[in-house]
Amino acid sequence: MSRKFFERDVNASVSRRTLLQAGAGLMGGALLPASVIGPAFAEDKPAIGTWPAGSEGNTVFIGASVPRTGTYAVQGEDELKGYQLAIEHINEGNELVQKISPKTKKGVLGKQLTLGVADSGAKPNDAVQAQQRFISENKAVMITGGTSSAVAVALNKLAQREKVLFVCGISGSNDTTGKDCVRYGVRQNFFGQTASAAIAPVLVKAFGKNKKVAYMTPDYTYGHTVTKSMQDNTAADGWTTVTNQVSPLGAPDFSSYLLNVANSGADILLNVNWGHDAVLSIQQAKQFGVLDKMKLVVPYQVPFLARETGGLMQGVYAATDYWWTVEDKYPLAKMFNAAFEKKYNYKPEWGAENAYISFVHWARMVEEAGSFYPPDVIKIYEKEEVIPSLVGDVYYRKEDHQCVRPVIIVKGKLEKDMKGKEDYYDIVEIVPGKGLMQKPDAFGCNLGDYT
């Protein structure tokens, strides 16, 4: 009997006992220390990271750390659903998977995938500790997660040190494939530079030149790099910053920041906050009358904002990674949407899309390499082969392991124009990725060694 997937759900805290075992059948030899297993050699290559111990049995283990609590919890759950669906589809040899990774039949290289899940709470230390345990105890052949770019950067460093591939989940910071890039990390989703380069011309066309802008910026790598990219990409058209209100992640109250925004004389409120912080700050901006004084723009957006803010995204421009109505243009997106909605009873958001395609791309790379040996898999990413995705053909850039992919610009629909309860946005433009990318060395990427 073939099994679709086995999931292990753990709480990523510092306590060992909270990392609960999901089933004794998963463990066995995978939990033996390397000294007990002995030195491993296969395919005339020396052991590295968890290879070959992690791929010697009939299953391989993947560790995922996503925020299931905290300000990014809603998007973390959406991302997790994308991982779960991808593993199910890969293990059963689903038609959609085979259109993206033709050599994938049932499992990867004939091995079924199993998934371990930890709640990072968007905290880098918790994510690293959980993933370290997945690596040492479960011999994870790949780790994933993010949502917070601070988590993604921390997992980059872990992956490089442990020589286990990190397939980044959500991360919007330029630094993830910029100054904090690593040989053992890859990222599929869009990021601050590409979002800003895509949306800036749309905003100038809509609102004109020489605008005064108030920024709201979360105080970590994601926020600072997105704000800097927006400032850089609008400077030539005379957009100037009159105030930049920097707040901590998970701030319970934005009133003091919004008071400064309200008194700034800005024409545009450019809100870089994300997740529940974006919801709360937009709701409070309405309460403070800020949205009556200036136009709201969300340069790096999660689609559930429209649902959670009660109509405040109507008429608002935003850049996003994926919106489900792209199915009218991309047949693979239509297949994904149908499968996701059938399983979870709602339209997929971009966290789920990004998680799904990242996993299937990884499966393709392993199949093409013919091995789980990490340097060989990495070199397949670096071939820059054009491959299918849910938003058309894409490739991974060899210099920084960033996927070159389109950015989708949306505008919130007025309620009267919505054709259904999840029809929140009109797609304004799908901007090709190549022209949005900075030069490979612009953000200081140095990938490091294979071994």
Side-chain angles (χ1 to χ4, degrees):
M1 176 183 293
S2 66
R3 115 181 115 182
K4 287 188 176 180
F5 72 95
F6 176 86
E7 179 181 320
R8 175 185 167 197
D9 192 353
V10 297
N11 185 322
S13 74
V14 297
S15 170
R16 180 184 181 90
R17 75 181 61 175
T18 58
L19 290 168
L20 302 174
Q21 305 297 343
L26 175 63
M27 305 308 169
L31 290 182
L32 293 175
S35 60
V36 176
I37 297 173
F41 295 85
E43 304 173 19
D44 298 322
K45 296 167 184 171
I48 184 172
T50 61
W51 187 90
S55 54
E56 286 178 332
N58 295 324
T59 65
V60 294
F61 186 94
I62 295 169
S65 54
V66 297
R68 310 189 74 177
T69 55
T71 190
Y72 290 168
V74 173
Q75 199 64 21
E77 289 296 327
D78 185 61
E79 183 181 5
L80 177 57
K81 288 179 174 63
Y83 292 140
Q84 291 168 329
L85 184 61
I87 284 188
E88 180 179 316
H89 278 188
I90 290 168
N91 283 347
E92 69 185 19
N94 184 273
E95 179 187 5
L96 175 55
V97 168
Q98 292 188 10
K99 287 182 179 295
I100 300 165
S101 178
K103 294 181 181 180
T104 300
K105 303 307 179 186
K106 288 191 175 182
V108 177
L109 297 179
K111 298 178 187 289
Q112 294 282 285
L113 306 184
T114 63
L115 182 68
V117 181
D119 175 15
S120 71
K123 298 174 182 176
N125 287 344
D126 286 0
V128 167
Q129 289 170 16
Q131 294 287 14
Q132 183 69 69
R133 201 166 298 282
F134 286 149
I135 291 169
S136 60
E137 295 189 356
N138 302 104
K139 299 294 180 280
V141 298
M142 183 261 276
I143 61 175
T144 190
T147 310
S148 160
S149 288
V151 168
V153 167
L155 292 180
N156 260 353
K157 294 175 182 177
L158 175 69
Q160 187 68 20
R161 184 179 75 234
E162 296 294 329
K163 298 298 183 285
V164 173
L165 190 65
F166 170 49
V167 175
C168 182
I170 297 171
S171 175
S173 173
N174 295 343
D175 294 342
T176 306
T177 49
K179 71 179 183 65
D180 293 310
C181 74
V182 294
R183 183 72 64 183
Y184 276 73
V186 298
R187 176 170 61 178
Q188 189 276 151
N189 71 275
F190 78 139
F191 58 106
Q193 162 60 27
T194 54
S196 302
I199 199 171
V202 175
L203 298 179
V204 172
K205 182 178 179 181
F207 302 128
K209 297 184 177 183
N210 303 315
K211 295 299 178 183
K212 294 180 288 184
V213 184
Y215 284 87
M216 296 187 73
T217 303
D219 191 12
Y220 74 110
T221 180
Y222 155 74
H224 294 301
T225 60
V226 173
T227 291
K228 176 68 162 55
S229 291
M230 283 303 306
Q231 291 169 329
D232 290 347
N233 280 288
T234 55
D237 290 298
W239 285 38
T240 57
T241 303
V242 294
T243 186
N244 181 18
Q245 296 296 306
V246 180
S247 58
L249 187 65
D253 183 6
F254 291 87
S255 56
S256 61
Y257 310 108
L258 287 164
L259 182 61
N260 292 331
V261 170
N263 293 328
S264 68
D267 305 303
I268 309 286
L269 169 58
L270 217 150
N271 193 347
V272 182
N273 283 297
W274 204 78
H276 185 65
D277 287 357
V279 174
L280 193 60
S281 57
I282 291 171
Q283 289 173 334
Q284 292 180 2
K286 178 63 175 176
Q287 295 167 3
F288 273 73
V290 171
L291 302 186
D292 298 324
K293 295 181 177 181
M294 56 193 75
K295 298 290 186 181
L296 173 66
V297 171
V298 182
Y300 197 91
Q301 177 247 32
V302 286
F304 79 89
L305 270 180
R307 183 185 73 232
E308 298 294 321
T309 55
L312 296 181
M313 290 296 290
Q314 294 180 59
V316 174
Y317 287 96
T320 193
D321 193 269
Y322 183 82
W323 180 239
W324 66 270
T325 60
V326 298
E327 67 179 22
D328 296 336
K329 180 177 175 66
Y330 302 116
L332 298 187
K334 189 169 186 176
M335 293 175 68
F336 170 69
N337 291 345
F340 188 93
E341 189 169 20
K342 181 179 179 180
K343 186 174 181 65
Y344 298 114
N345 299 311
Y346 73 94
K347 303 288 189 187
E349 297 180 356
W350 77 256
E353 170 270 338
N354 176 67
Y356 183 93
I357 199 64
S358 294
F359 264 29
V360 181
H361 279 174
W362 169 79
R364 179 186 175 111
M365 303 305 175
V366 175
E367 298 280 6
E368 291 295 322
S371 170
F372 290 96
Y373 181 62
D376 286 354
V377 177
I378 292 166
K379 288 172 184 177
I380 300 298
Y381 276 100
E382 292 173 348
K383 285 174 61 178
E384 296 194 342
E385 181 183 7
V386 176
I387 60 177
S389 82
L390 302 182
V391 290
D393 290 343
V394 301
Y395 67 93
Y396 289 80
R397 198 159 66 165
K398 62 185 178 182
E399 295 91 349
D400 56 7
H401 293 181
Q402 174 62 51
C403 185
V404 181
R405 47 146 298 140
V407 173
I408 298 162
I409 307 301
V410 297
K411 184 179 182 182
K413 281 190 172 185
L414 300 178
E415 188 173 1
K416 66 181 179 63
D417 296 326
M418 291 174 59
K419 297 176 182 177
K421 66 177 183 178
E422 293 179 275
D423 185 29
Y424 292 116
Y425 297 98
D426 280 320
I427 294 176
V428 176
E429 190 173 351
I430 299 176
V431 187
K434 189 172 183 180
L436 305 175
M437 299 282 284
Q438 79 286 357
K439 292 182 179 180
D441 60 351
F443 295 152
C445 176
N446 180 8
L447 288 171
D449 298 329
Y450 294 96
T451 60

